[in-house]
Amino acid sequence: MALANVSGVGTGRDEDSGEEVIVVFVTRKLPREGLRPEDVVPDELEGVPVRVLAMADPEGP
């Protein structure tokens, strides 16, 4: 949650494979090249795949 643009974290299933994944919700999805290295969401955490999903900030305008 301390990463830039991250608004939440949850679990779910990958739409294509059906495997369990960690879902990281971001206010807007940015290319990796546009992020500082410390703000890049990893591809997996403790062996569990991570998916990034852009969602509007619920406390935004």
Side-chain angles (χ1 to χ4, degrees):
M1 293 280 296
L3 301 178
N5 296 319
V6 173
S7 58
V9 178
T11 59
R13 290 201 178 272
D14 183 271
E15 292 178 356
D16 296 324
S17 69
E19 70 183 328
E20 292 285 327
V21 296
I22 296 170
V23 182
V24 177
F25 300 99
V26 295
T27 52
R28 64 183 179 155
K29 206 166 179 179
L30 300 169
R32 287 179 184 256
E33 308 82 54
L35 295 170
R36 298 180 309 176
E38 60 269 20
D39 289 328
V40 173
V41 174
D43 292 329
E44 68 176 44
L45 290 169
E46 297 184 15
V48 180
V50 174
R51 300 295 181 261
V52 177
L53 181 61
M55 298 192 72
D57 184 351
E59 302 200 13

